[in-house]
Amino acid sequence: MAKSNDPHHDQPPRIGEALAAQRAQARLTLDELSRRAGVSKSMLSQIERSQANPTVAVVWRLAQALGVELSELLVGAQRGAPGGIELVGAHGIPQLTSPDGLARLRILGPIDLAGQFEWYELNIAPGGELASEGHEPGSREHLSVLSGSLQVQAGDAQQTLKPGETARYAADQAHAIRNPGRQAALALLVVLHA
């Protein structure tokens, strides 16, 4: 397979660069953003210098504090030439980690579709959880387990999935995906926003 000549394909997403640019555009100091987002000034500084890998919760709080979409902080996926083939190297795929550090989301879909149609590779260690508040009314998620087992809870409903099974559920209510097993679980997660 031919390797891309683009040096950015093999680099991790540059959340720090995007954060610094958004903070500058909003004319906020590190102190002001720290207070608004509830993230320490030292952590913000480390993120901006690409010395820290923020969790999903931290990136979300920063986006909320800056008044921007989450996708605006998740840069790194490269755009291909029209009519060409876009190749995104493994290190160019944005990745988020759950607050408990046991769930990892690799954002497989293009960032410009975030908030409409999103798909992820989801890897959850034993005992890990990816919990979410409800998305906008009418949103749905589709979870397909590739290996291990996962438990999905949407509102009061709960279902355990094994490899090869898919759960489809309303995501406009609080929902969570947990790994109750003793081995890591791998799944594909598709989110359809209404």
Side-chain angles (χ1 to χ4, degrees), residues 37-147:
V39 176
S40 74
K41 181 179 171 183
S42 63
M43 173 59 85
L44 288 176
S45 178
Q46 289 176 349
I47 293 169
E48 286 192 0
R49 290 177 292 150
S50 297
Q51 295 178 341
N53 185 17
T55 64
V56 175
V58 168
V59 176
W60 183 83
R61 286 197 315 255
L62 292 170
Q64 294 298 305
L66 289 164
V68 300
E69 294 294 321
L70 185 68
S71 61
E72 293 184 51
L73 294 180
L74 298 175
V75 297
Q78 305 297 317
R79 300 202 184 346
I85 296 175
E86 177 182 352
L87 174 65
V88 180
H91 295 292
I93 306 246
Q95 181 174 289
L96 300 170
T97 305
S98 64
D100 67 7
L102 298 176
R104 187 181 77 228
L105 281 170
R106 293 181 72 231
I107 304 171
L108 301 178
I111 297 301
D112 54 348
L113 289 181
Q116 302 168 44
F117 177 77
E118 303 163 10
W119 63 100
Y120 305 91
E121 176 188 88
L122 174 60
N123 196 324
I124 303 182
E129 173 183 70
L130 181 66
S132 179
E133 294 299 318
H135 305 308
E136 56 277 341
S139 296
R140 296 193 56 80
E141 289 186 358
H142 304 255
L143 178 71
S144 297
V145 176
L146 302 175
S147 65

Side-chain angles (χ1 to χ4, degrees), residues 140-144 152 154 159 161 165-171 190:
R140 296 193 56 80
E141 289 186 358
H142 304 255
L143 178 71
S144 297
V152 177
Q159 183 68 50
L161 291 83
E165 295 182 328
T166 296
R168 298 181 175 106
Y169 49 93
V190 174

